Amino acid sequence: MPRQRSKPPRNDGIGVRDRLLNAADRLFYREGVRAVGIDRVLAEADAAKASLYQHFGCKDRLVASYLERRTGAARAHLEAFLADTPPSQRAIRFFDWVVAWAESEDFRGCPLQHTVSELTDAAHPARAIAHGQREWFAERFLEWTRAAGVKDERETARALMVLFDGAVAGSEVDGPQRASDARWMAQRLLAG
Amino acid sequence: MPRQRSKPPRNDGIGVRDRLLNAADRLFYREGVRAVGIDRVLAEADAAKASLYQHFGCKDRLVASYLERRTGAARAHLEAFLADTPPSQRAIRFFDWVVAWAESEDFRGCPLQHTVSELTDAAHPARAIAHGQREWFAERFLEWTRAAGVKDERETARALMVLFDGAVAGSEVDGPQRASDARWMAQRLLAG
DNA sequence: CAAGTGACAGACAGGTCTGTCTATTTAGCC
DNA sequence: GGCTAAATAGACAGACCTGTCTGTCACTTG
């Protein structure tokens, strides 16, 4: 565990570890973890190969760290987005967040889905992170459907997961219309 | 265009082109098109490298042919599955088909989604096939919701696409429960 | 029997990938 | 200034990838 007291390196004052993660995030998300090699991450981060292996040990751990940081950021972003929304409205408001994401310039689908489908080895460290994030979503959905006071709480919460997955996967192929379609359906589901 | 009049080759009476496609189908679907190299397809098909390049020209065209054959088979299978179902019931019955697929032994998600997320090059020949298949599904959904006589035909048909995508993508990560969840929701949607 | 054809086997080239290693440079701290 | 630790540059090994090419075998047809 290096980096005891921070010292400003020459590159924008951002440490090499964060530069590597930033580069990995851009490239892995945009093009996929298998399509992007170490060398391209190094060039994008303006870092040396030894730094990558010093900080992460191997590519798989870099991938896992990339996913962990991205999912953590998504959680924080979502919680800030929903902070002013009363709990009973959060389920439906959540889909506004999904629509905004799907409409954003650099949207390219769900990094968790991509990772699971690209890395078929069940023992890959990135898979545990993907599953953890999905459990977090499942818990939030149940929380929100309870707060909304719908009849079939659990079934509705699981249906929201399906809508979320469908919104993101569909938007990747067909464009953000799919996210709007999911929101339309969530409204019907939560109204009745 | 070779293979004018068929002659029985030594291998099970199956021509080398079909052996290659069978092997590609198994390996590409199970592990992904980037994870599987030409050599493994050749070994699995018990074929020579020259045969592959004779019949398909390059790997990308083999991938496209694999997708084309698989989607065509899925359409035929689905149409047979729905043949005895009256048109007004086909939308909901469709999700029985999805559940059965998600519960099948070798289910590993949607090959179209995988291909689109693995092959980020928009000009890849496999992408056109993926889009064609999705359009076919969209047309069927609209047909079935019209036959079912629901109020918002178009919105409902688009919602079915979201449910389908969510069922398949979710089942890949969380297991076939997600497909059942989608069916539950489709029932509610088509009932009201 | 002879010619033609489809498939096979495998070497090979040229490139890319991950990961290791050596040597050098930079920057803070005493 | 000198020491230490982090970061840099880049060569290198070994594996794997796609695609080409040469030569051989088996079988069919004239």
Side-chain angles (χ1 to χ4, degrees):
Chain A
M1 199 149 304
R3 172 142 290 85
Q4 203 84 348
R5 64 199 62 199
S6 68
K7 62 182 66 171
R10 69 149 185 260
N11 248 313
D12 304 337
I14 304 174
V16 68
R17 188 175 196 277
D18 287 326
R19 290 204 319 270
L20 285 166
L21 279 175
N22 289 342
D25 188 81
R26 275 193 295 272
L27 295 172
F28 286 161
Y29 178 60
R30 190 183 308 259
E31 303 185 34
V33 295
R34 294 195 92 111
V36 173
I38 289 295
D39 290 339
R40 288 191 53 207
V41 176
L42 295 175
E44 176 98 355
D46 195 26
K49 197 176 269 196
S51 303
L52 191 156
Y53 284 94
Q54 183 65 27
H55 283 286
F56 298 98
C58 63
K59 185 189 179 183
D60 287 342
R61 295 249 301 276
L62 174 66
V63 171
S65 297
Y66 137 70
L67 251 200
E68 189 165 31
R69 208 187 60 157
R70 183 168 260 261
T71 55
R75 271 140 81 143
H77 186 248
L78 177 58
E79 279 170 347
F81 183 86
L82 292 178
D84 295 336
T85 304
S88 66
Q89 297 297 308
R90 282 184 186 166
I92 187 60
R93 183 95 175 106
F94 168 75
F95 283 91
D96 290 336
W97 182 78
V98 176
V99 168
W101 181 30
E103 284 174 347
S104 67
E105 186 64 31
D106 55 350
F107 174 79
R108 240 240 341 141
C110 178
L112 305 174
Q113 289 283 357
H114 291 165
T115 304
V116 168
S117 91
E118 278 196 285
L119 308 173
T120 46
D121 176 15
H124 195 287
R127 291 205 139 207
I129 289 160
H131 282 105
Q133 173 76 347
R134 287 183 66 82
E135 271 181 34
W136 183 86
F137 271 117
E139 287 163 14
R140 293 294 81 70
F141 289 152
L142 189 54
E143 199 176 292
W144 297 336
T145 53
R146 281 193 170 130
V150 298
K151 205 171 54 179
D152 304 314
E153 299 169 346
R154 295 180 169 277
E155 287 81 358
T156 305
R158 292 205 303 265
L160 289 184
M161 182 72 98
V162 172
L163 285 181
F164 177 40
D165 286 336
V168 177
S171 294
E172 180 178 356
V173 186
D174 302 334
Q177 170 73 45
R178 294 280 167 259
S180 301
D181 298 340
R183 180 173 55 184
W184 176 84
M185 193 159 178
Q187 260 158 353
R188 282 189 59 145
L189 181 70
L190 293 160
Chain B
M1 204 148 301
R3 172 143 290 85
Q4 202 83 348
R5 63 199 61 199
S6 68
K7 62 183 69 173
R10 68 149 185 259
N11 249 315
D12 305 337
I14 305 174
V16 68
R17 197 187 133 94
D18 285 327
R19 290 207 316 273
L20 285 165
L21 279 175
N22 289 341
D25 188 81
R26 276 193 295 273
L27 294 172
F28 287 161
Y29 178 58
R30 189 183 310 258
E31 304 183 35
V33 296
R34 296 197 91 110
V36 174
I38 289 293
D39 290 339
R40 288 190 54 204
V41 176
L42 294 175
E44 176 98 357
D46 195 26
K49 197 175 269 196
S51 303
L52 192 156
Y53 284 94
Q54 183 65 29
H55 282 287
F56 298 99
C58 63
K59 185 189 179 183
D60 287 343
R61 296 248 302 274
L62 174 66
V63 172
S65 296
Y66 137 70
L67 250 200
E68 190 165 31
R69 208 187 59 158
R70 183 168 262 263
T71 55
R75 271 140 82 143
H77 185 248
L78 177 59
E79 279 170 347
F81 183 87
L82 292 178
D84 296 335
T85 303
S88 65
Q89 297 296 308
R90 283 184 185 166
I92 187 60
R93 184 96 175 106
F94 168 74
F95 283 91
D96 291 337
W97 182 78
V98 175
V99 168
W101 181 30
E103 283 173 347
S104 67
E105 186 64 31
D106 56 350
F107 174 79
R108 239 239 341 140
C110 178
L112 304 173
Q113 289 283 355
H114 291 165
T115 304
V116 169
S117 90
E118 278 196 286
L119 308 174
T120 46
D121 176 15
H124 195 289
R127 291 205 138 208
I129 289 161
H131 282 105
Q133 174 75 347
R134 288 184 66 83
E135 270 180 35
W136 183 85
F137 271 118
E139 287 163 13
R140 293 295 80 68
F141 288 153
L142 189 54
E143 197 176 294
W144 297 336
T145 54
R146 281 193 170 130
V150 299
K151 204 170 56 181
D152 304 314
E153 299 169 346
R154 296 180 168 278
E155 287 80 358
T156 305
R158 291 204 304 263
L160 289 184
M161 182 70 99
V162 172
L163 285 181
F164 177 40
D165 286 336
V168 176
S171 294
E172 180 178 356
V173 186
D174 302 334
Q177 171 71 46
R178 295 279 166 259
S180 300
D181 298 340
R183 180 174 55 186
W184 177 84
M185 193 159 178
Q187 260 159 354
R188 283 190 57 146
L189 181 69
L190 293 160

